[in-house]
Structures are given as C-alpha cells and as structure tokens.
Amino acid sequence: MRKKDTFIRYLVGEIKTHLLEYLLLTTIAVFFIFLLSFFKGDRQSQYMVMVFFAIAYLVWGIIHHSIHRTLHVKIVIEYILIVALGLLLLHIVLLL
C-alpha cells in the first residue's frame, strides 16, 4: 500500500472518529470566511477577523487535544506557530 493511501485512510478515520469536532471547526471557518467577505475592502477589520479566527483555532486545538488527553506542550507550541505563520502570511497578503 502506498503512503498516500495510508494517509488518506488515516484522515478519513480521524474525521469519522471526531466528526462533531471537525464540523465545529469547519463551521467556525465558514463563519469567519463570511466575515472576511463582509468586511471586504476594510483591511483593518479583515485583519481583526483573522486574529479572532486564529485565536478560535488555537482554543479549538487545545480543547480538542485536552478532550482526547493528547495535549502536550509540544502540541500547544505547534498550534501557536501555525497561528503565527498564518497571521504573518495573511498580513503580508493584505498589505499588497
């Protein structure tokens, strides 16, 4: 079996196992995408929406891992770095 097939099976299994949690995250993301389009043209408001989404994503990740008893400092740092990188990239895009 190829690595790609194994990875896809792993993702499908994760989604099936934690369906409600991923639906919540998807709903939050769709809501924030709606807010981004609502504030189209207002870069400062869009950036604030992205900051709030980043915080929501960070909190979601911490709660998700807490529930499943897989929360470690390494995971929190990983989420913080992903949030920081995402905000940095989006900030750069909004400045252009």
Side-chain angles (χ1 to χ4, degrees):
M1 190 180 311
R2 296 181 301 167
K3 287 184 181 183
K4 183 178 179 181
D5 293 336
T6 304
F7 179 69
I8 291 173
R9 286 184 186 195
Y10 170 76
L11 285 179
V12 169
E14 280 291 304
I15 291 170
K16 284 181 182 178
T17 304
H18 309 292
L19 183 61
L20 290 177
E21 294 168 29
Y22 288 116
L23 281 175
L24 175 63
L25 181 62
T26 303
T27 303
I28 291 169
V30 168
F31 174 71
F32 279 103
I33 289 170
F34 168 76
L35 286 178
L36 283 176
S37 67
F38 182 76
F39 290 112
K40 188 175 184 178
D42 184 358
R43 290 182 176 171
Q44 185 176 6
S45 294
Q46 284 184 322
Y47 189 71
M48 291 307 298
V49 167
M50 289 184 285
V51 168
F52 286 125
F53 176 71
I55 292 169
Y57 174 72
L58 179 65
V59 169
W60 176 88
I62 291 171
I63 292 171
H64 171 79
H65 286 282
S66 293
I67 290 170
H68 300 288
R69 302 193 190 285
T70 57
L71 184 63
H72 303 285
V73 174
K74 181 180 174 182
I75 289 174
V76 174
I77 292 171
E78 180 181 330
Y79 272 93
I80 290 170
L81 290 174
I82 289 171
V83 163
L85 179 63
L87 285 175
L88 176 66
L89 293 173
L90 290 170
H91 184 71
I92 290 169
V93 167
L94 284 178
L95 287 177
L96 297 177

